[in-house]
Amino acid sequence: MIAETGLAALWLAATLAGVQLLLAWAVVARGNEDARRLIRPVAVAQGVLACLAMALLIILFLRSDMSVYLVAANSHSMKPFIYKFAGAWGNHEGSMLLWVAVMSASGAAVALFERALDRATHYATLGAQAAISLGFYAFLLLASNPFTRLDPPAVQGQGLNPLLQDPGLAFHPPTLYFGYVGLSVAFSFAVGALLTHQVNARFARAVRPWVLGAWVLLTFGITAGSYWAYYELGWGGWWFWDPVENASLMPWLAATALLHSASVLAARDALRAWTVMLSVVAFAMSMIGTFLVRSGILTSVHAFAVDPTRGSFILALLGLYIGGALVLFALRVHTVNEGARFEPVSRESALVVNNLLLCVILGLVLVGTLYPLLTEMMGVRVSVGPPYFNAVIGPVALLLMALLVVGPLLRWRRDDAGAVLRRALPAVGLGVLALIAAVALPSPTIDWLPTLGLGLAAAVGLASLAPLWKRNLLRTPLFTYGMVIAHLGCAVSLAGMASESAFSVERLAAAKPGDRFEIAGQTVRFDSVMPVAGPNWTAMEATLTVSRGNRVIGVARPQARFFADPPTPTNESVQMTRWNGQLYLVLGEQLEDGRWQLRIWWKPFVTLIWAGGGMIALGGLLALIGRVRRERRQGRAQAREVPA
């Protein structure tokens, strides 16, 4: 009965989404008081039912109920607990149910806690959120039912993709989904504000925490996903420009632009139409990413290959929601005033340029991702990979980082160019010194992009601290600390990327026990290879002793694994972390002469890439907490000023 109860909860939630949409229409268009009283409880009940359906699906996976098709196709009774748990969303139907559950729970949170919006816009927002949820309920119930029974039940499941059998699966997809869904809320806010002609600073202050929360989760999810690919896939890289990686990067780029634009609108009442447009674009990128991952048109280790019919369904939803929002925007844009003006030399102008550069990068990623699909439809198969993305996006990304040197130093509304240059001089000087040092290093292969990256990382790092200069640090707002840490994280990540690109060393070898290899001043001794067994896999495990001079600094045991259900070979790499980088070791296949393939990398300061990503997410979290606390304080102060 668990599966049937889950399906019933899903149908009831879908029904309530329809009711919520009708109630929103009755409130906004007719001013109906009864509908006004009902809409919030309905939104909360819908969220509870959707979460209940997701919880029941997780129970089915934990119990290894092989009478449910989804469990039999994506699980195995011998799997460890954590993979049974995470397996509930490690497939197409389960991941879409998780998406819907998070979206409905977010709608319930908007109904319960949102106080910054005026009432009419609030109800219109709840209506828009219900309309989005309704489409995804229809998709689940009509095309991707996660509770379909299997008759007769399977004796045993087919197992989970071995590449997904990693603790990262338990955290990575949910964080990304929370990020995507946060952008759906921003989209609903924008639609609600357009419907009620309330695109103003109040709208921006209401939408900013949601965008900030979504941005933090996307940042964390992308950073974690990058590290997962780095250590799990055994290829030694941290970003491959895989279409599914791009599918999560594109919403993040749009959300970053939206976050800065909403800040300008909230603080200075400018960029009204631009902020609304970015709200639509950010959610459109989430939908395009969903379509790419779940339509079955991509070949990727991440993609859930499903039939094109489901992809057409998602494409129809994309056209309906984004097309409808763009039509609404076109009809209402003349009612959206331009807002406050600002001078060319000002923080607002820097943020506009920031938005434009982010949009250029977004466009380049989108073109590079879709181009192979478009040419394949015309009968020509082409591949677009890192050479394209690095060549076209690298220079624009460096321009964006250069803007980050002067942006935090600018004043609102207007500033003096000479004064800005004087303020930026220390950071620019440090950047030039770092650039000279990078060029002077005895490295014959360093390219101009990583060289510039090292110089800019130093400049951005120092400029990021400028907002704290001459301030009382105890009275500095938390969101200012958040901005400083996030910008500093950008510098740290850039330094890691540039160092890894410029100074990495690779050794490929055919090894037998007793062989030694030198790399970056370290000696790797191949000691032995032994068979080992895990809960649902077997492996050949190498023992490698790493030393520097006469001192042993560690023992690594990389594995070449084999999973029986489904039959899949994988490589479990080992990373040995030092203060200045990582030694990355991979055991490959055994050759005909008995030797083993061995890949060894030395990656200087590569961990800075993910440390910087963590700092960016932490900065966003501090900014979110600081903003929410300030809004609450201001709300309480306004309430005290209102006479009883």
Side-chain angles (χ1 to χ4, degrees):
M1 287 297 290
I2 294 177
E4 286 71 24
T5 305
L7 186 59
L10 207 53
W11 273 107
L12 280 173
T15 305
L16 289 180
V19 172
Q20 183 179 328
L21 180 59
L22 292 174
L23 291 172
W25 174 81
V27 173
V28 176
R30 305 289 182 185
N32 188 299
E33 284 299 323
D34 292 334
R36 198 189 305 275
R37 284 192 293 272
L38 285 173
I39 188 168
R40 285 182 174 174
V42 168
V44 173
Q46 185 213 147
V48 170
L49 286 168
C51 291
L52 174 64
M54 186 66 219
L56 292 173
L57 183 66
I58 292 173
I59 291 173
L60 290 172
F61 270 82
L62 292 179
R63 296 179 61 171
S64 296
D65 187 342
M66 299 303 168
S67 68
V68 176
Y69 174 79
L70 192 65
V71 179
N74 298 280
S75 189
H76 193 286
S77 61
M78 298 300 289
K79 275 200 315 182
F81 174 85
I82 187 170
Y83 301 134
K84 289 183 180 178
F85 178 73
W89 54 77
N91 54 80
H92 168 76
E93 289 83 355
S95 64
M96 293 307 297
L97 178 56
L98 177 63
W99 172 294
V100 169
V102 175
M103 181 182 294
S104 302
S106 299
V110 171
L112 284 173
F113 303 117
E114 180 53 53
R115 294 292 183 269
L117 284 174
D118 67 274
R119 286 192 172 186
T121 307
H122 189 192
Y123 296 135
T125 298
L126 289 176
Q129 191 71 8
I132 299 173
S133 298
L134 200 55
F136 280 90
Y137 283 128
F139 176 67
L140 272 174
L141 293 169
L142 302 179
S144 295
N145 179 8
F147 298 105
T148 300
R149 285 287 188 185
L150 194 61
D151 188 17
V155 177
Q156 188 50 274
Q158 298 176 19
L160 179 68
N161 181 349
L163 286 175
L164 301 180
Q165 295 187 34
D166 182 87
L169 180 66
F171 310 103
H172 172 52
T175 51
L176 285 181
Y177 291 165
F178 274 96
Y180 291 154
V181 171
L183 296 180
S184 81
V185 176
F187 173 84
S188 297
F189 274 50
V191 170
L194 281 174
L195 287 172
T196 56
H197 306 280
Q198 294 295 325
V199 180
N200 48 33
R202 190 175 181 181
F203 152 74
R205 284 192 289 273
V207 78
R208 185 166 52 186
W210 290 95
V211 178
L212 199 45
W215 183 81
V216 168
L217 291 165
L218 281 175
T219 304
F220 180 75
I222 291 171
T223 302
S226 167
Y227 193 64
W228 172 83
Y230 171 75
Y231 73 78
E232 180 63 22
L233 300 184
W235 63 294
W238 49 273
W239 196 263
F240 188 66
W241 296 107
D242 180 275
V244 179
E245 289 178 327
N246 296 346
S248 63
L249 179 63
M250 290 187 290
W252 184 86
L253 289 167
T256 307
L258 173 59
L259 184 59
H260 289 89
S261 177
S263 294
V264 174
L265 179 53
R268 302 295 159 180
D269 198 18
L271 305 181
R272 292 178 178 175
W274 181 243
T275 302
V276 171
M277 176 54 76
L278 282 176
S279 301
V280 176
V281 170
F283 183 55
M285 291 302 109
S286 296
M287 292 288 293
I288 288 175
T290 305
F291 168 71
L292 290 174
V293 176
R294 288 166 178 78
S295 62
I297 63 174
L298 291 179
T299 301
S300 166
V301 295
H302 309 74
F304 299 107
V306 295
D307 62 86
T309 304
R310 298 177 185 179
S312 302
F313 204 123
I314 297 175
L315 196 59
L317 290 179
L318 174 66
L320 179 65
Y321 295 139
I322 305 306
L326 290 177
V327 169
L328 179 63
F329 180 79
L331 293 175
R332 294 294 173 88
V333 69
H334 67 283
T335 67
V336 180
N337 295 327
E338 184 181 354
R341 294 181 177 274
F342 48 85
E343 296 295 321
V345 181
S346 64
R347 184 173 290 191
E348 290 95 328
S349 294
L351 290 171
V352 169
V353 177
N354 158 291
N355 271 216
L356 293 175
L357 290 173
L358 283 166
C359 289
V360 169
I361 296 174
L362 171 59
L364 292 171
V365 176
L366 184 63
V367 168
T369 305
L370 296 183
Y371 184 72
L373 304 176
L374 297 175
T375 57
E376 191 168 346
M377 290 169 62
M378 293 183 281
V380 180
R381 187 180 289 270
V382 299
S383 173
V384 178
Y388 160 81
F389 288 105
N390 293 337
V392 301
I393 293 175
V396 186
L398 290 184
L399 275 178
L400 188 64
M401 296 301 292
L403 182 65
L404 209 52
V405 176
V406 296
L409 304 175
L410 287 163
R411 295 193 172 96
W412 292 106
R413 293 283 167 86
R414 62 183 302 172
D415 207 337
D416 177 71
V420 175
L421 288 177
R422 285 192 293 277
R423 280 180 233 137
L425 197 57
V428 173
L430 181 64
V432 171
L433 287 176
L435 198 63
I436 294 171
V439 172
L441 284 174
S443 174
T445 58
I446 185 167
D447 196 12
W448 67 274
L449 270 178
T451 306
L452 282 177
L454 288 168
L456 278 171
V460 172
L462 186 58
S464 300
L465 302 174
L468 300 179
W469 179 248
K470 293 184 178 179
R471 296 189 71 152
N472 183 337
L473 297 182
L474 295 178
R475 299 179 67 85
T476 300
L478 194 58
F479 52 78
T480 302
Y481 279 110
M483 179 186 70
V484 168
I485 292 172
H487 287 181
L488 195 57
C490 292
V492 170
S493 276
L494 179 60
M497 295 173 193
S499 297
E500 195 273 344
S501 301
F503 307 119
S504 280
V505 181
E506 181 180 9
R507 289 290 306 269
L508 302 176
K512 62 181 185 301
D515 286 349
R516 295 170 181 265
F517 305 95
E518 300 291 330
I519 184 167
Q522 300 165 95
T523 302
V524 178
R525 188 182 68 212
F526 192 107
D527 292 332
S528 63
V529 180
M530 299 291 291
V532 295
N536 59 340
W537 50 264
T538 58
M540 295 303 292
E541 180 180 273
T543 299
L544 307 171
T545 301
V546 181
S547 57
R548 184 183 292 277
N550 294 324
R551 184 171 64 89
V552 174
I553 56 178
V555 176
R557 291 186 171 83
Q559 297 175 345
R561 285 187 183 175
F562 181 76
F563 290 80
D565 290 315
T568 309
T570 65
N571 297 105
E572 292 298 311
S573 64
V574 171
Q575 297 79 43
M576 301 181 71
T577 304
R578 304 283 177 269
W579 69 271
N580 59 343
Q582 275 191 340
L583 193 64
Y584 190 108
L585 305 119
V586 180
L587 178 68
E589 297 178 354
Q590 188 174 27
L591 304 175
E592 292 181 355
D593 61 2
R595 294 183 297 172
W596 289 82
Q597 294 176 339
L598 192 63
R599 304 186 73 174
I600 310 170
W601 285 275
W602 170 246
K603 295 179 171 294
F605 299 104
V606 67
T607 50
L608 293 183
I609 297 172
W610 303 291
M615 289 174 67
I616 296 170
L618 174 63
L621 181 61
L622 293 179
L624 175 62
I625 295 171
R627 292 290 180 194
V628 170
R629 286 170 56 184
R630 168 170 280 197
E631 294 292 337
R632 285 187 175 179
R633 279 200 301 270
Q634 291 177 343
R636 287 196 292 269
Q638 290 172 356
R640 284 195 295 271
E641 291 173 0
V642 175

